[in-house]
C-alpha cells in the first residue's frame, strides 16, 4: 500500500505494509501525558512525517521496520517505547530489570540514546536506564550491576560479553530495538543474528505471558532485513518514507545500459521496441525541452505512438494524463516523454518502466522512481516469495561518456540495490573519486589516516588522503629537536584522544623554550610591558597571560564583522597545540625577540593500537584515563616516522627521574596502558600504512629495536625536572660524567605480553619508481622509469611482480599486486639505460580493465601506446579511468 500526505507545501512519500492512520499532531499522538509535556518543554517540534507513521505501531506493541532519511533519529522509537513502559502490565511484572534493550552500532550512538533517555525519563515512572560499555575485560562483565534498570543501551559486542555472564538477561526482555539497522546488519550481522537467536530461545522458554516486540529503524534497506523479518518478527509493520529504499524493497529492477552519447536515441528505440511487445507503461525522462522534442520526433518517425510534456507544452497536465491512460487501456503501449519538472503536476504512480534518457541526479532519481510506486511489491507475504524476474517495475539508465557528474551517487545506490553494474560505471566512479580527492589537496591530512593508518569512508571524509609536500613539509620539525630519534623526551600538554597529543619535544642539551618562557614571564610581569592590541589580525602572533604564565598564541579565526570593540577570537597556543577562544582585549603585543623561536608544539601519535569492535573513535573512558595519566608529565619515546610537525612514536614511556641515584624509572608504556583498559586492541599495520602513504618522501631509518632503551650507555639521555616545575634544566657537568641507566620496569611487561616481538614495524627502505603501462590481448608491458639501474631484481608470481634496483645511490622498490593472472615463467625484464621494461604474459587472452588490484599513485597508463576501437567498448571511457 502506498499513500501520499501533504505536509505544508511538500508532498511526502510513505510505503506501508499495512494501512494505518498517522499521528501528525503531538496532542493526539499515542504517548502518555507526562511524556508529551516533557517533549513540549524541550521544544520538540514534531512529530515529523516519519514519526507520525512510526509511533502508532510501536506504541501498539507491534513489530516495526522503519526506513527513512531520518532513520538514525532515536526519537522514532524512544517516545512510544517509554509510553509502553508506563503501562500497568509492566508494573505487575515480578522483575522489570532489562525490560527494554536498545542495540546501537557504536559507543557514540549508544551515548546519544542514553542521554536522550535521561532527558525524557523525568515524566516516566521510576525509569532507570543504564549504558553498558564493557570492553574486553571479563571481570567488568561479571561485576555489571543491572538491578532496577528498565532500559539497557549497548552495542552488539558489549551485549554478547554481558550474556556470557548473565544468560538470564534476555528472558525478561520485552522490547528489542535495533538502531541504525543498516549499520548493524552491515558491520555486525553475525553478532546481531546471534543475539536474535538467543532472544528467540529465551522468549520460547519464558514463563508467563510477556509482550515481545522487535523494532528496527534505519536509513537504508539491507539484504539482511528479509531474514530478520521472516525468522524473528511477527507480521511487522513496514514503514518506508525514503522512495529510493522503497524501490529496493519493492524489487524495482535497475538496469544500466552503456552507450555513446550520440547513440542514445537509437538505444532508446531498441528498448521501446521490447516494451511495445509487452504492453508497458513507459516514462522517458530527460532534463531539457529540446531533448523532449527531439525524442518525440524520433519516436514518431519510427511509428511509436507517444506523448510529450514539458513546461512549454500547449496541452495541460490533466489532458496529457488522460490521453496517456487511455492509450494503455485501449491496448496501445503508453509512452510519455517528459522533463522532471512536470512529474509533480502529473502525479503518475502507475508506470511500469522508467527510462532515464538524461543521467539522473540523486534528487530527481527518487522522483522518477516514485512514478512506479503502484507497481512496487504490494505486501510483505508476496514480497517474500517474489522472484526478481517477476517484478513489474524496471528502471533503465542510459550511461554515456557525459554522465560523470552524478556517477558516484548513482553507483553507490546501485551497489546498495545489488544491481548489475557495468565496468564503465566503475571507471566513472573511480575518476570522480580521484578528482574529488585532488580537490581536497589543500585540506589537512585525514586525522583517522594518521591515527589508525586507515580511513573508513574516504568519499565522505572532507580531508585529503595523499601527501601534499607544500603543506606537510612546510613546517617540518627542526632537526635539532630530534637529535636521537631512538630516544626523545616528550612533554604532552594537550590530549586530543587516547593516542593523539600535542606537546613539546624537549631538547637533550639546552631547551630553548625553557629560556624563552622564563624571559617572557619576566617581561610581562612588568605592567608597562602589557600592551593590549587595538586591532587583531589573523595569523599574527600575540602574547597571552594566564595567571603567572605567559603564552605565545596565534589568531586563527576572527569574527566576520567587528560590531563591538571587544569580541571573541579563536587562538592557538603555538607551543602547546591547544586552541581556545578569548576576548580580543586579552591579547598583548609580542615583541619580535619572542617570535624568533619557531612554534614548539608538535603532534604526537602513539602507534599500533586502535579501539576495539571496529569503532572509529576512542571511547571517552580511555581518553580520560590517558589524559589523567600523561598530561604534563615527562615521557621517553622512539620516533618511527615524521611528517611535517607530526611524529609517530613507538613506544612512548612514562618516566620518573631519581636525581639521587642518577637514573630513570620507566613507569608505564602508553600502548600497554590503553590495552589494559580493555577498550583498545592491536593495530599491527599502522606504521606500515603510514610509510606507504609517505613513499614519495625519503625515509630515514631510525633504528630497528628497543635496544636503545635498555643499553647501559645512556650518557646523552636528557634529564627533566618534575612535572610541577615547567622549566627543563640542563644536566650538571658531574651528572653528565656519571653513567646513567634505565630500570626498564615496563619492558618486562612488554615481553610477557608479546609486545617486544613487534615493538616496531621495520621502516620501508626505498623509493617507489614511476611506472607506465600498456597492453595488448596477449601481454602487458611495464616501463619502469629508472636511470642506470644496478643490482636489479625482478620476481614474477602468478598474481604479483616485484622489482627492485639501485639508481644513483637510492634503492627503488615496486611491489605490484596484479588485477589478473600472468604466466610467470614466460614473463621477462630487460634493463635499459633510462628504464626497465617488464613484459608480463597474460594467462588468459583479452583486455584488462586495470593493471593493479589496488590503486597506486606511481603507476599510470602510457597513452602513447593505448589504442581502442569504438567497436570494442560501448564508448570511449577516457584517459583517466584506467589505473
Amino acid at each position: 500500500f502506498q499513500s501520499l500526505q501533504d505536509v505544508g507545501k511538500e508532498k511526502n512519500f510513505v510505503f506501508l505494509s499495512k494501512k494505518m492512520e498517522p499521528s501528525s499532531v503531538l496532542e493526539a499522538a499515542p504517548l502518555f501525558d507526562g511524556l508529551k509535556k516533557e517533549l513540549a518543554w524541550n521544544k520538540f517540534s514534531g512529530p515529523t512525517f516519519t514519526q507520525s507513521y512510526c509511533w502508532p505501531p510501536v506504541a501498539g506493541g507491534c513489530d516495526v521496520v522503519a526506513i527513512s532519511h531520518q532513520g538514525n533519529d532515536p526519537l522514532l522509537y524512544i517516545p512510544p517505547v517509554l509510553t509502553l513502559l508506563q503501562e500497568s502490565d509492566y508494573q505487575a511484572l515480578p522483575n522489570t530489570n532489562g525490560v527494554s534493550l536498545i542495540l546501537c552500532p557504536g559507543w557514540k550512538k549508544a551515548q546519544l540514546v542514553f542521554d536522550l533517555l535521561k532527558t525524557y525519563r523525568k515524566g516516566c515512572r521510576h525509569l532507570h536506564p543504564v549504558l553498558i560499555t564493557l570492553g574486553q575485560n571479563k571481570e567488568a562483565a561479571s561485576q555489571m550491576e543491572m538491578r532496577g534498570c528498565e532500559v539497557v543501551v549497548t552495542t552488539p559486542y558489549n551485549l554478547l560479553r554481558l550474556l556470557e555472564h548473565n544468560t538470564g538477561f534476555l528472558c525478561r526482555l520485552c522490547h528489542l530495538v535495533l538502531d541504525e539497522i543498516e549499520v548493524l546488519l552491515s558491520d555486525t550481522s553475525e553478532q546481531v543474528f546471534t543475539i536474535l537467536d538467543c532472544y528467540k530461545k529465551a522468549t520460547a522458554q519464558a514463563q508467563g505471558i510477556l509482550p515481545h516486540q522487535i523494532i528496527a529503524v534505519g536509513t537504508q534497506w539491507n539484504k539482511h532485513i528479509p531474514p530478520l523479518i521472516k525468522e524473528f518478527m511477527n507480521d511487522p509493520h513496514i514503514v518506508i518514507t525514503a522512495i529510493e529504499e522503497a524501490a529496493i524493497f519493492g524489487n524495482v529492477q535497475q538496469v544500466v545500459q552503456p552507450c555513446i552519447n550520440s547513440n542514445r536515441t537509437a538505444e532508446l528505440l531498441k528498448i521501446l521496441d521490447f516494451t511495445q511487445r509487452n504492453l508497458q507503461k513507459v516514462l522517458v525522462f530527460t532534463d531539457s525541452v529540446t531533448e523532449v522534442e527531439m525524442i518525440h520526433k524520433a519516436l514518431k518517425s519510427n511509428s511509436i505512438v507517444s506523448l510529450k510534456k514539458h513546461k512549454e507544452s500547449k496541452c495541460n497536465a490533466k489532458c496529457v494524463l488522460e490521453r496517456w491512460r487511455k492509450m494503455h487501456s485501449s491496448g496501445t503501449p503508453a509512452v510519455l516523454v517528459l522533463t522532471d519538472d512536470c512529474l509533480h503536476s502529473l502525479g503518475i504512480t502507475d508506470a511500469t518502466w522508467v527510462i532515464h534518457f538524461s543521467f539522473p541526479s540523486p534528487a530527481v532519481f527518487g522522483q522518477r522512481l516514485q512514478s512506479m510506486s503502484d507497481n512496487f511489491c504490494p505486501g510483505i507475504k508476496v514480497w517474500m516469495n517474489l522472484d526478481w524476474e517477476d517484478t513489474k517495475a524496471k528502471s533503465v539508465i542510459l550511461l554515456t561518456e557525459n554522465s560523470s557528474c552524478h556517477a558516484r551517487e548513482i553507483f553507490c545506490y546501485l551497489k546498495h540495490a545489488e544491481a548489475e553494474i557495468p565496468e564503465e560505471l566503475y571507471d566513472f566512479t573511480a575518476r570522480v573519486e580521484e578528482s574529488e580527492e585532488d580537490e581536497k589537496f589543500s585540506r589537512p591530512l585525514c586525522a583517522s589516516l594518521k591515527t589508525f593508518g586507515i580511513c573508513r569512508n574516504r568519499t565522505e571524509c572532507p580531508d585529503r588522503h595523499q601527501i601534499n609536500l607544500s603543506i606537510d613539509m612546510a613546517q617540518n620539525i627542526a632537526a635539532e629537536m630530534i637529535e636521537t630519534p631512538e630516544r626523545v623526551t616528550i612533554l604532552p600538554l594537550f590530549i586530543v584522544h587516547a593516542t593523539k597529543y600535542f606537546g613539546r619535544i624537549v631538547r637533550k642539551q639546552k631547551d630553548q623554550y625553557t629560556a624563552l618562557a622564563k624571559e617572557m614571564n619576566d617581561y610581562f610581569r612588568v605592567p608597562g610591558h602589557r600592551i593590549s592590541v587595538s586591532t587583531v589580525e589573523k595569523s599574527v602572533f600575540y602574547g597571552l597571560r594566564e595567571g603567572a604564565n605567559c603564552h605565545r598564541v596565534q589568531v586563527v579565526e576572527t569574527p566576520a564583522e567587528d560590531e563591538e570593540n571587544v569580541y571573541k577570537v579563536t587562538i592557538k597556543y603555538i607551543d602547546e597545540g591547544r586552541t581556545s577562544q578569548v576576548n580580543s582585549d586579552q591579547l598583548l603585543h609580542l615583541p619580535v625577540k619572542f617570535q624568533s623561536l619557531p612554534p614548539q608544539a608538535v603532534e604526537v601519535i602513539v602507534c599500533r593500537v586502535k579501539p576495539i569492535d571496529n569503532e572509529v573513535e576512542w571511547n571517552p573512558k580511555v581518553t580520560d584515563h590517558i589524559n589523567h595519566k600523561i598530561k604534563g608529565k615527562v615521557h621517553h619515546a622512539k620516533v618511527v616516522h615524521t611528517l611535517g610537525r607530526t611524529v609517530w612514536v613507538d613506544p612512548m614511556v612514562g618516566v620518573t627521574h631519581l636525581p639521587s641515584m642518577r637514573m630513570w624509572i620507566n613507569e608505564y608504556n602508553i600502548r600497554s596502558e590503553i590495552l589494559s583498559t580493555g577498550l583498545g586492541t592491536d593495530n599491527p599495520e599502522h606504521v606500515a600504512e603510514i610509510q606507504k602513504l609517505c613513499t614519495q618522501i625519503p625515509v630515514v631509518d631510525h633504528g630497528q629495536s628497543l635496544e636503545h632503551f635498555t643499553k647501559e650507555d645512556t650518557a646523552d639521555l636528557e634529564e627533566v625536572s618534575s612535572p610541577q616545575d615547567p622549566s627543563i634544566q640542563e644536566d650538571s657537568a658531574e651528572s653528565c660524567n656519571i653513567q646513567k641507566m634505565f630500570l626498564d620496569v615496563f619492558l618486562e611487561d612488554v615481553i610477557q605480553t608479546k609486545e617486544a616481538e613487534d615493538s616496531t614495524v621495520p621502516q620501508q627502505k626505498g623509493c617507489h619508481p614511476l611506472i607506465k603501462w600498456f597492453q595488448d590481448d596477449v601481454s602487458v608491458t611495464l616501463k619502469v622509469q629508472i636511470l642506470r639501474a644496478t643490482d636489479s631484481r625482478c620476481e614474477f608470481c602468478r598474481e604479483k611482480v616485484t622489482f627492485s634496483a639501485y639508481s644513483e645511490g637510492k634503492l627503488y622498490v615496486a611491489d605490484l599486486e596484479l588485477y589478473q593472472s600472468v604466466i610467470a615463467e614466460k614473463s621477462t625484464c630487460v634493463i635499459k639505460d633510462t628504464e626497465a621494461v617488464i613484459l608480463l604474459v597474460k594467462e588468459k587472452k583479452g583486455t584488462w580493465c586495470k593493471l593493479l588490484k589496488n590503486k597506486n599513485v606511481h603507476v599510470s597508463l602510457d597513452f602513447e601506446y593505448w589504442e581502442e576501437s569504438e567497436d570494442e567498448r560501448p564508448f570511449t571511457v577516457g584517459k583517466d579511468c584506467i589505473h
Side-chain angles (χ1 to χ4, degrees):
F1 302 90
Q2 301 86 37
S3 63
L4 298 171
Q5 176 171 319
D6 285 311
V7 178
K9 294 182 179 180
E10 294 185 3
K11 184 169 280 190
N12 291 289
F13 170 88
V14 62
F15 188 104
L16 304 170
S17 62
K18 298 181 180 182
K19 211 162 190 177
M20 74 168 78
E21 288 299 320
S23 298
S24 54
V25 180
L26 181 60
E27 289 75 13
L31 309 178
F32 71 95
D33 292 338
L35 183 55
K36 289 180 185 177
K37 291 178 182 177
E38 199 63 40
L39 286 165
W41 177 261
N42 285 278
K43 302 188 185 308
F44 177 71
S45 59
T48 62
F49 181 76
T50 306
Q51 288 167 354
S52 69
Y53 280 95
C54 284
W55 286 0
V58 174
C62 303
D63 287 351
V64 176
V65 175
I67 305 297
S68 164
H69 291 305
Q70 294 79 41
N72 57 0
D73 181 7
L75 291 182
L76 283 177
Y77 59 83
I78 285 179
V81 167
L82 293 183
T83 297
L84 285 172
L85 294 178
Q86 304 308 303
E87 295 179 359
S88 57
D89 294 344
Y90 295 97
Q91 298 182 34
L93 293 177
N95 189 343
T96 58
N97 291 346
V99 166
S100 296
L101 169 66
I102 302 174
L103 280 183
C104 300
W107 70 260
K108 201 166 188 177
K109 184 58 181 291
Q111 184 68 54
L112 170 64
V113 171
F114 180 67
D115 291 341
L116 285 171
L117 287 169
K118 289 194 296 182
T119 298
Y120 292 111
R121 71 178 178 179
K122 298 172 185 176
C124 302
R125 172 191 57 82
H126 306 301
L127 181 70
H128 298 291
V130 63
L131 175 64
I132 297 179
T133 307
L134 295 174
Q136 295 177 328
N137 291 341
K138 293 185 177 181
E139 291 183 5
S142 61
Q143 297 171 2
M144 188 69 203
E145 178 59 54
M146 299 176 59
R147 188 175 302 169
C149 114
E150 289 181 323
V151 183
V152 173
V153 185
T154 189
T155 66
Y157 287 106
N158 282 314
L159 180 62
L160 289 175
R161 295 181 191 116
L162 176 66
L163 292 178
E164 290 180 11
H165 301 275
N166 191 345
T167 54
F169 168 71
L170 294 179
C171 295
R172 301 184 298 270
L173 188 62
C174 298
H175 310 283
L176 172 60
V177 180
L178 304 175
D179 190 294
E180 293 192 39
I181 186 68
E182 75 283 356
V183 182
L184 287 176
L185 294 182
S186 296
D187 299 344
T188 56
S189 60
E190 182 181 346
Q191 289 76 16
V192 170
F193 279 106
T194 299
I195 292 166
L196 288 167
D197 283 328
C198 294
Y199 180 47
K200 189 175 183 179
K201 293 174 184 176
T203 53
Q205 299 170 2
Q207 296 180 353
I209 301 175
L210 291 174
H212 293 116
Q213 180 186 41
I214 297 179
I215 304 160
V217 299
T219 59
Q220 290 184 336
W221 189 260
N222 184 280
K223 64 181 180 181
H224 295 296
I225 295 179
L228 165 66
I229 294 172
K230 192 172 183 179
E231 299 294 329
F232 303 101
M233 288 185 160
N234 180 26
D235 193 19
H237 283 257
I238 299 177
V239 179
I240 306 178
T241 59
I243 179 63
E244 304 89 345
E245 303 307 315
I248 296 175
F249 168 85
N251 277 327
V252 174
Q253 185 178 1
Q254 298 287 348
V255 178
V256 181
Q257 183 60 52
C259 63
I260 300 172
N261 188 61
S262 59
N263 203 35
R264 277 188 300 166
T265 305
E267 197 66 44
L268 175 64
L269 292 172
K270 290 180 187 177
I271 297 169
L272 291 177
D273 181 55
F274 172 80
T275 61
Q276 282 193 307
R277 296 196 299 267
N278 290 272
L279 199 64
Q280 302 292 339
K281 300 169 77 173
V282 184
L283 296 179
V284 180
F285 283 98
T286 186
D287 53 14
S288 75
V289 173
T290 304
E291 285 191 342
V292 170
E293 294 290 345
M294 180 269 293
I295 295 168
H296 183 66
K297 185 177 180 181
L299 297 183
K300 187 176 179 180
S301 300
N302 286 270
S303 302
I304 297 177
V305 180
S306 67
L307 300 171
K308 63 179 180 179
K309 183 72 179 87
H310 52 71
K311 61 184 178 181
E312 298 176 11
S313 298
K314 295 179 181 178
C315 193
N316 62 34
K318 185 178 179 181
C319 174
V320 171
L321 190 59
E322 287 179 359
R323 291 174 59 192
W324 189 66
R325 286 175 175 165
K326 283 180 182 178
M327 287 169 63
H328 185 264
S329 60
S330 64
T332 304
V335 179
L336 172 59
V337 186
L338 71 162
T339 52
D340 294 299
D341 52 11
C342 296
L343 183 58
H344 181 74
S345 60
L346 290 168
I348 295 173
T349 58
D350 61 346
T352 54
W353 280 52
V354 161
I355 301 174
H356 308 270
F357 190 83
S358 64
F359 198 80
S361 67
V364 304
F365 188 58
Q367 296 173 17
R368 294 175 179 182
L369 294 180
Q370 186 172 331
S371 64
M372 299 186 290
S373 56
D374 288 352
N375 290 305
F376 291 177
C377 178
I380 184 64
K381 292 181 180 177
V382 179
W383 161 69
M384 288 295 290
N385 299 311
L386 188 66
D387 292 330
W388 181 258
E389 291 78 15
D390 293 335
T391 183
K392 287 184 179 181
K394 182 176 285 190
S395 164
V396 182
I397 301 173
L398 299 184
L399 177 70
T400 75
E401 68 272 26
N402 297 332
S403 302
S404 59
C405 185
H406 300 290
R408 193 186 71 187
E409 294 92 335
I410 300 302
F411 169 82
C412 292
Y413 175 76
L414 294 174
K415 195 172 181 181
H416 165 48
E418 297 188 328
E420 185 176 339
I421 302 174
E423 192 63 39
E424 288 80 6
L425 189 51
Y426 277 102
D427 292 339
F428 268 134
T429 305
R431 290 165 60 188
V432 169
E433 290 179 356
E434 185 176 351
S435 175
E436 289 184 352
E437 192 64 40
D438 290 340
E439 290 176 2
K440 301 175 185 176
F441 205 54
S442 60
R443 294 280 304 163
L445 190 61
C446 171
S448 178
L449 189 62
K450 290 196 290 185
T451 306
F452 305 122
I454 186 173
C455 178
R456 299 279 181 85
N457 193 349
R458 294 193 174 205
T459 57
E460 299 297 326
C461 179
D463 294 328
R464 64 184 161 88
H465 304 87
Q466 54 186 324
I467 297 299
N468 181 344
L469 292 177
S470 63
I471 296 176
D472 296 322
M473 305 302 289
Q475 290 186 322
N476 203 7
I477 298 173
E480 60 268 17
M481 292 178 70
I482 306 181
E483 294 172 348
T484 310
E486 297 86 355
R487 219 168 28 253
V488 296
T489 297
I490 294 175
L491 195 65
L493 299 169
F494 174 59
I495 313 303
V496 179
H497 56 63
T499 54
K500 176 180 174 179
Y501 332 121
F502 284 93
R504 290 199 300 275
I505 295 177
V506 182
R507 289 192 59 194
K508 297 176 184 179
Q509 302 304 321
K510 182 177 181 179
D511 183 55
Q512 292 176 292
Y513 180 76
T514 303
L516 176 70
K518 184 179 184 304
E519 215 177 318
M520 278 199 305
N521 288 335
D522 292 341
Y523 177 83
F524 284 109
R525 198 172 288 124
V526 179
H529 292 164
R530 298 196 287 268
I531 304 171
S532 295
V533 178
S534 56
T535 303
V536 174
E537 297 180 44
K538 193 174 179 179
S539 302
V540 175
F541 290 174
Y542 298 102
L544 177 69
R545 289 198 77 200
E546 287 183 346
N549 295 320
C550 185
H551 303 274
R552 299 191 302 171
V553 300
Q554 183 181 31
V555 174
V556 295
E557 190 176 332
T558 58
E561 294 182 5
D562 301 340
E563 298 179 356
E564 302 176 3
N565 292 329
V566 178
Y567 47 90
K568 292 284 186 182
V569 294
T570 303
I571 58 167
K572 180 176 182 178
Y573 294 73
I574 63 173
D575 301 309
E576 295 184 11
R578 61 188 170 106
T579 58
S580 69
Q581 280 196 331
V582 298
N583 290 331
S584 57
D585 61 349
Q586 291 180 258
L587 299 179
L588 306 174
H589 173 70
L590 188 68
V592 175
K593 64 179 180 178
F594 297 140
Q595 300 184 34
S596 58
L597 184 68
Q600 297 294 290
V602 296
E603 181 183 38
V604 180
I605 295 175
V606 173
C607 298
R608 295 191 307 116
V609 63
K610 62 183 177 181
I612 60 170
D613 302 341
N614 292 317
E615 296 276 7
V616 296
E617 295 182 52
W618 285 108
N619 190 295
K621 290 182 179 180
V622 191
T623 298
D624 291 345
H625 174 71
I626 296 299
N627 181 63
H628 177 75
K629 191 93 177 175
I630 74 170
K631 185 176 180 180
K633 300 176 183 177
V634 176
H635 292 74
H636 290 156
K638 174 185 174 184
V639 177
V640 296
H641 205 85
T642 64
L643 179 65
R645 299 195 65 79
T646 301
V647 294
W648 284 266
V649 296
D650 186 25
M652 181 168 169
V653 186
V655 295
T656 297
H657 182 221
L658 302 178
S660 59
M661 301 179 67
R662 295 185 177 85
M663 65 174 60
W664 294 89
I665 296 178
N666 293 333
E667 293 186 352
Y668 55 85
N669 179 345
I670 291 181
R671 181 174 178 274
S672 299
E673 199 71 24
I674 293 171
L675 293 173
S676 70
T677 65
L679 297 171
T681 188
D682 190 38
N683 184 12
E685 298 85 12
H686 186 185
V687 178
E689 289 298 321
I690 297 302
Q691 292 171 346
K692 186 191 299 183
L693 174 72
C694 303
T695 49
Q696 64 262 51
I697 301 174
V699 177
V700 179
D701 187 358
H702 290 323
Q704 301 296 327
S705 70
L706 282 174
E707 292 179 0
H708 300 285
F709 278 95
T710 58
K711 285 182 180 179
E712 292 184 1
D713 184 15
T714 56
D716 64 339
L717 191 62
E718 66 277 16
E719 286 200 27
V720 184
S721 61
S722 64
Q724 289 76 22
D725 184 358
S727 62
I728 309 297
Q729 301 295 336
E730 187 178 356
D731 253 348
S732 65
E734 180 183 2
S735 62
C736 286
N737 295 326
I738 297 177
Q739 186 182 48
K740 291 176 276 184
M741 60 182 292
F742 271 123
L743 296 181
D744 242 318
V745 176
F746 90 96
L747 190 58
E748 295 176 7
D749 176 61
V750 170
I751 295 172
Q752 290 172 3
T753 58
K754 202 183 174 182
E755 278 192 54
E757 296 178 14
D758 62 345
S759 60
T760 59
V761 177
Q763 294 278 0
Q764 179 176 332
K765 301 173 184 175
C767 304
H768 199 297
L770 294 176
I771 300 174
K772 292 190 175 185
W773 71 282
F774 59 93
Q775 64 173 315
D776 56 31
D777 285 345
V778 178
S779 64
V780 178
T781 302
L782 280 66
K783 290 191 171 184
V784 185
Q785 299 178 15
I786 183 169
L787 293 172
R788 294 177 289 279
T790 59
D791 296 335
S792 62
R793 293 183 62 187
C794 193
E795 298 177 0
F796 301 96
C797 297
R798 187 167 176 265
E799 296 181 346
K800 188 176 182 181
V801 58
T802 304
F803 173 84
S804 64
Y806 282 92
S807 173
E808 299 181 341
K810 288 184 180 180
L811 173 63
Y812 289 84
V813 179
D815 194 354
L816 308 175
E817 193 172 357
L818 302 173
Y819 179 70
Q820 293 192 28
S821 302
V822 299
I823 303 174
E825 298 78 14
K826 294 184 179 180
S827 300
T828 59
C829 177
V830 178
I831 304 297
K832 298 184 178 181
D833 187 51
T834 59
E835 63 186 11
V837 180
I838 299 173
L839 182 69
L840 304 175
V841 180
K842 296 178 179 178
E843 190 176 84
K844 294 181 181 179
K845 292 183 180 180
T847 303
W848 290 7
C849 64
K850 55 183 179 180
L851 176 67
L852 306 177
K853 284 186 178 179
N854 301 309
K855 184 178 176 182
N856 188 323
V857 295
H858 305 284
V859 181
S860 61
L861 187 67
D862 193 338
F863 296 111
E864 293 183 10
Y865 295 88
W866 181 257
E867 293 182 1
E868 183 183 36
S869 69
E870 292 186 356
D871 294 330
E872 293 175 355
R873 297 175 66 89
F875 59 86
T876 303
V877 178
K879 293 183 178 181
D880 297 334
C881 68
I882 305 294
H883 303 296

